[in-house]
Amino acid sequence: MKRNVQSFWLFFRRHPRHAFRFVSLSILLFMLGYTGVRGARWAGKAFFACPIVDVTCTNCYSPIVKKELVAFVRSNLSDVNLLSFHATNFYSSLKARFNYVTKVTIIRRVPMGLSVKINGVKPTMFINENLVLAQDRSVYPRNYFTSYVGLDDLPRVTMPAIHVGMQVTPWVYEGLQKLAPRLSKNYDFAYINPSTIRLVPRMPQRYAVVVANESVLADIHQLDGLDDIVQDAVQRGLCSLAMLETKRRSVELDLRFERRIIVKFIDHAKRRGKVS
């Protein structure tokens, strides 16, 4: 190192003009490099910044939720660089904050900014009165769909131990989609599991409850003529018609067995049942 410095000073003394040119050129190259880096950064910010973020929401059925969604998108994308922006990272953070978002489409429009299209979920049925099951098989609160046209006309299902944030299994969702629209109009529809489904008729019938499964209810005509079965049991003396009419007893029909129907009489006065 010492020898290099001595050689430099010796060269500077012998050739002062060349040394001066060398130093001047070095300073000039340094300044050009520094200016180039700063200029590139400035150009990146000036020409590839994101001044405008257009947000379009599809299937967003709550004004409050939509407002929160748009604010989140603009706050996270307003300062991004269009060249270094990664849509995958943004989608992950958006999905973590808003779980009902199913799809995000982002289009770069240099130098204008970004166009963001967000797809939400459509509701399919009510669960336990105030919860909504959507097309992504997830359960959401009712207030996520306040502006959905026909919300109160959706099928209604009762399911035990269901809460917001849960996701039903594909086969259960498929079964509900097939059965709920057909049955919930005439029955209070309680889906325990695919093998145990309880139906309480909305209109007065001789029977109070029907217990069935998905296989039986695949043919809705299986529910025709059930009053005649109860009438036959009354005529055979298994229960009096007066007790049924005064609600001292009620009838539960179990259709889950092949080629037979179990008729169960529930004694409400004595809190005991008789099966025949």
Side-chain angles (χ1 to χ4, degrees):
M1 182 69 181
K2 231 177 194 187
R3 185 171 297 175
N4 293 336
V5 173
Q6 290 175 354
S7 300
F8 174 77
W9 282 111
L10 182 62
F11 175 80
F12 184 79
R13 288 176 182 176
R14 291 180 180 177
H15 309 281
R17 292 183 180 179
H18 293 293
F20 179 77
R21 291 174 183 173
F22 174 77
V23 173
S24 301
L25 181 61
S26 299
I27 294 174
L28 179 62
L29 290 175
F30 173 79
M31 293 184 66
L32 288 175
Y34 178 78
T35 305
V37 172
R38 293 296 297 269
R41 292 178 180 176
W42 177 85
K45 291 182 178 180
F47 295 103
F48 298 103
C50 185
I52 300 175
V53 180
D54 291 330
V55 184
T56 304
C57 296
T58 304
N59 299 339
C60 296
Y61 299 106
S62 170
I64 297 177
V65 173
K66 182 178 179 180
K67 184 177 179 180
E68 294 176 354
L69 183 59
V70 171
F72 177 87
V73 172
R74 287 181 173 165
S75 65
N76 282 268
L77 296 184
S78 59
D79 295 328
V80 300
N81 186 288
L82 295 178
L83 289 180
S84 60
F85 172 68
H86 295 287
T88 303
N89 297 336
F90 171 71
Y91 177 76
S92 299
S93 61
L94 181 68
K95 185 66 176 175
R97 174 66 175 81
F98 303 93
N99 60 341
Y100 54 86
V101 172
T102 58
K103 181 180 179 181
V104 179
T105 304
I106 301 177
I107 301 175
R108 292 179 175 90
R109 301 183 302 178
V110 180
M112 296 300 297
L114 294 171
S115 174
V116 182
K117 182 179 180 180
I118 299 173
N119 292 74
V121 292
K122 286 186 177 181
T124 57
M125 65 188 70
F126 277 107
I127 292 184
N128 302 342
E129 296 297 332
N130 292 320
L131 303 180
V132 175
L133 181 64
Q135 285 182 335
D136 63 344
R137 298 186 287 106
S138 296
V139 180
Y140 299 97
R142 178 192 176 103
N143 59 8
Y144 279 22
F145 306 95
T146 52
S147 61
Y148 182 79
V149 178
L151 181 66
D152 292 328
D153 297 328
L154 292 176
R156 295 178 180 269
V157 180
T158 300
M159 295 182 69
I162 293 292
H163 56 79
V164 171
M166 290 187 65
Q167 191 173 59
V168 301
T169 56
W171 54 88
V172 169
Y173 181 79
E174 183 179 349
L176 290 172
Q177 283 291 88
K178 292 178 180 178
L179 298 177
R182 294 185 297 152
L183 297 173
S184 61
K185 293 180 181 179
N186 299 318
Y187 296 90
D188 289 328
F189 181 64
Y191 190 98
I192 312 302
N193 54 57
S195 300
T196 306
I197 299 171
R198 294 177 63 87
L199 304 175
V200 177
R202 298 182 185 274
M203 300 295 292
Q205 304 285 348
R206 292 284 175 84
Y207 57 91
V209 179
V210 173
V211 181
N213 54 34
E214 285 188 356
S215 178
V216 170
L217 296 177
D219 181 6
I220 198 170
H221 296 294
Q222 297 269 17
L223 300 176
D224 297 339
L226 296 181
D227 268 348
D228 295 337
I229 295 175
V230 178
Q231 182 63 30
D232 179 68
V234 170
Q235 291 176 353
R236 290 163 54 192
L238 298 176
C239 180
S240 71
L241 187 60
M243 285 188 173
L244 294 180
E245 291 177 346
T246 57
K247 307 299 181 183
R248 289 189 59 192
R249 282 190 176 185
S250 62
V251 178
E252 180 180 294
L253 301 176
D254 195 336
L255 312 184
R256 294 174 294 176
F257 303 93
E258 188 176 358
R259 297 181 181 178
R260 61 174 177 165
I261 296 176
I262 304 298
V263 181
K264 184 177 182 180
F265 293 93
I266 309 297
D267 192 331
H268 298 286
K270 298 181 181 180
R271 295 184 181 180
R272 66 183 182 182
K274 178 182 178 182
V275 179
S276 55

